[in-house]
Amino acid sequence: MRTIMVTGGAGFIGSALIRHIIHHGSERIVNVDCLTYAGNLQALASVSDSHRYCFERINICDGEAVRAVLARYQPDVIVHLAAESHVDRSINGPAVFIETNIVGTYTLLEAARDFWQQLPTLRRDAFRFHQVSTDEVFGDLGDTQEAFHEQSPYAANKAGADHLVRAWHRSYGLPVIITNSSNNYGPYHYPEKLIPLTIRNALEGKAIPLYGQGTQRRDWLYVADHAEALYTVMQRGRVGENYAIGGRCERRNIDVVNAICTELNALDIARPEGVTDYRELITHVEDRPGHDVRYAINCAKIEQELGWKPRESFESGLRKTIRWAIDHPRWWLRDTDGIGTSR
Ligand SMILES: NC(=O)c1ccc[n+]([C@@H]2O[C@H](COP(=O)([O-])OP(=O)(O)OC[C@H]3O[C@@H](n4cnc5c(N)ncnc54)[C@H](O)[C@@H]3O)[C@@H](O)[C@H]2O)c1
């Protein structure tokens, strides 16, 4: 049985990827995660009994522990998602971002390189290190994705990690693939980013914070579509390549928030006291420093080369996400420390 090691598998996207592979694939999964505030094993409750699933609570900055896991499980693929992932947190406290996203990626790359070099030839050739990254590394760019113009500490250190991964390919021949995706949304999202926070605050009758006039544009990708794309790239992507993954759903933040309110207004559910129209809860707050106006993503390459396309439209994905939120109140009502209004 082939083995896929997923770092950050208890997070939002990592858990969606693990659920996807356990349900649709045949590989064994080793989930390596140290369970920060963003990691939650409940997102894996539906697959954790599988004989193909194992969990190792390990910090990727701990080189010895990472090497021991590689030696023990002998993975064929490493998919690297473990990261600090929230822009506002990176502005308020960049140190942990540098530590996990840069030092952690370096530590993982070095351990992976040593492990890979000792594999027999056939397994060496088939080995992949898949770096999961963001379109934010490209910053405000219009339609090109050739240069790095990152604006926040988060984007800068994800770009740094992407550079390291590329360097380990060029300098040491490590067979890497990098994917850069747009904003994800969907079930099991920690309620600090735009869509889950808006849904949660609306359901609780609290103010829905929106940066500035909400005119920033983002592409939105349903998380299960992303999981399917990652699995496709891992199986058929070409070594040394970058693949952009998007939902073909570009929306202004204000339109996203309005769409959530409209969807909730149409539902036959008990409303919070005093709320007749959820849009009344929208509250404009001072814009984030260095806030990118628009991220654009061109996912023609993965569509044409690997035949992947998103299944969900923004409307269908949002409807599923809201339905899921209503059915899982305990997830949304968990305590957060109040950081963040948008990605
Ligand atoms: N969420 C998005 O919209 C988005 C878009 C594009 C790319 N990405 C990238 O995808 C990856 C996953 O994003 P997400 O939204 O699922 O993040 P997340 O914050 O929900 O999850 C991150 C996971 O990594 C784990 N982790 C953090 N530091 C760790 C460490 N030092 N050692 C081991 N585990 C650690 C956490 O416990 C958590 O389970 C990240 O690399 C992120 O940059 C996210």
Side-chain angles (χ1 to χ4, degrees):
M1 197 189 306
R2 277 164 54 80
T3 298
I4 299 174
M5 175 169 138
V6 179
T7 71
F12 169 48
I13 301 170
S15 63
L17 175 64
I18 293 176
R19 292 192 303 271
H20 180 85
I21 299 175
I22 295 289
H23 289 135
H24 301 283
S26 55
E27 296 88 347
R28 175 172 69 156
I29 300 289
V30 185
N31 174 12
V32 170
D33 196 302
C34 71
L35 300 181
T36 66
Y37 77 95
N40 192 325
L41 293 176
Q42 281 175 29
L44 293 160
S46 63
V47 296
S48 56
D49 284 345
S50 167
H51 69 282
R52 290 167 41 224
Y53 172 78
C54 323
F55 172 62
E56 294 285 350
R57 187 168 188 176
I58 281 172
N59 190 316
I60 55 160
C61 300
D62 180 346
E64 253 179 61
V66 171
R67 283 167 199 273
V69 164
L70 291 171
R72 179 165 174 209
Y73 292 97
Q74 300 281 313
D76 301 280
V77 179
I78 298 174
V79 195
H80 178 33
L81 295 104
E84 289 293 333
S85 69
H86 190 51
V87 172
D88 289 340
R89 286 179 190 271
S90 81
I91 294 169
N92 294 336
V96 68
F97 283 70
I98 302 287
E99 186 63 18
T100 288
N101 299 0
I102 296 190
V103 179
T105 301
Y106 157 74
T107 306
L108 188 64
L109 279 167
E110 272 299 76
R113 176 166 76 99
D114 287 346
F115 167 74
W116 166 74
Q117 279 173 338
Q118 287 162 25
L119 288 174
T121 312
L122 277 181
R123 287 199 57 212
R124 257 179 77 112
D125 292 348
F127 183 83
R128 297 287 180 271
F129 184 102
H130 180 161
Q131 159 80 350
V132 177
S133 189
T134 164
D135 62 350
E136 295 199 33
V137 298
F138 303 117
D140 260 335
L141 253 201
D143 285 329
T144 59
Q145 281 158 24
E146 284 159 8
F148 281 47
H149 291 273
E150 59 286 329
Q151 308 268 16
S152 68
Y154 165 68
N157 58 57
K158 286 298 288 187
D162 291 7
H163 279 305
L164 290 177
V165 171
R166 227 183 310 280
W168 259 242
H169 175 57
R170 297 256 167 87
S171 305
Y172 307 114
L174 188 71
V176 310
I177 302 182
I178 301 177
T179 51
N180 299 87
S181 93
S182 57
N183 277 21
N184 285 221
Y185 68 101
Y188 298 106
H189 209 171
Y190 186 79
E192 66 182 350
K193 297 182 186 174
L194 182 65
I195 289 184
L197 188 77
T198 298
I199 297 173
R200 184 181 93 158
N201 282 15
L203 290 174
E204 290 188 292
K206 289 185 184 160
I208 298 170
L210 186 68
Y211 278 130
Q213 292 308 304
T215 49
Q216 309 84 355
R217 297 182 77 88
R218 307 282 179 262
D219 177 74
W220 292 95
L221 173 64
Y222 190 62
V223 70
D225 281 334
H226 190 190
E228 189 174 27
L230 294 177
Y231 193 43
T232 304
V233 169
M234 197 183 303
Q235 291 169 310
R236 304 204 300 277
R238 283 184 294 134
V239 168
E241 293 291 322
N242 264 73
Y243 294 89
I245 307 172
R248 290 202 179 273
C249 299
E250 206 179 302
R251 296 283 185 286
R252 295 183 309 166
N253 285 353
I254 180 77
D255 298 330
V256 169
V257 169
N258 273 325
I260 294 169
C261 292
T262 306
E263 195 62 38
L264 286 170
N265 281 337
L267 289 177
D268 186 17
I269 51 170
R271 298 209 178 163
E273 209 182 313
V275 174
T276 47
D277 180 338
Y278 287 96
R279 282 174 299 190
E280 295 156 11
L281 298 170
I282 299 171
T283 309
H284 295 271
V285 297
E286 196 182 331
D287 208 351
R288 165 199 288 161
H291 205 168
D292 290 342
V293 176
R294 176 172 181 242
Y295 301 130
I297 191 141
N298 180 353
C299 44
K301 183 168 164 183
I302 185 174
E303 292 186 358
Q304 286 160 16
E305 207 178 281
L306 305 182
W308 172 88
K309 275 193 169 53
R311 291 177 192 270
E312 303 294 342
S313 67
F314 185 65
E315 289 66 31
S316 67
L318 195 60
R319 210 164 295 132
K320 284 185 179 178
T321 307
I322 291 173
R323 192 68 260 172
W324 187 91
I326 291 167
D327 293 343
H328 294 81
R330 287 182 61 191
W331 184 274
W332 298 85
L333 298 178
R334 65 208 251 224
D335 277 347
T336 57
D337 53 17
I339 290 184
T341 54
S342 170
R343 183 178 128 182

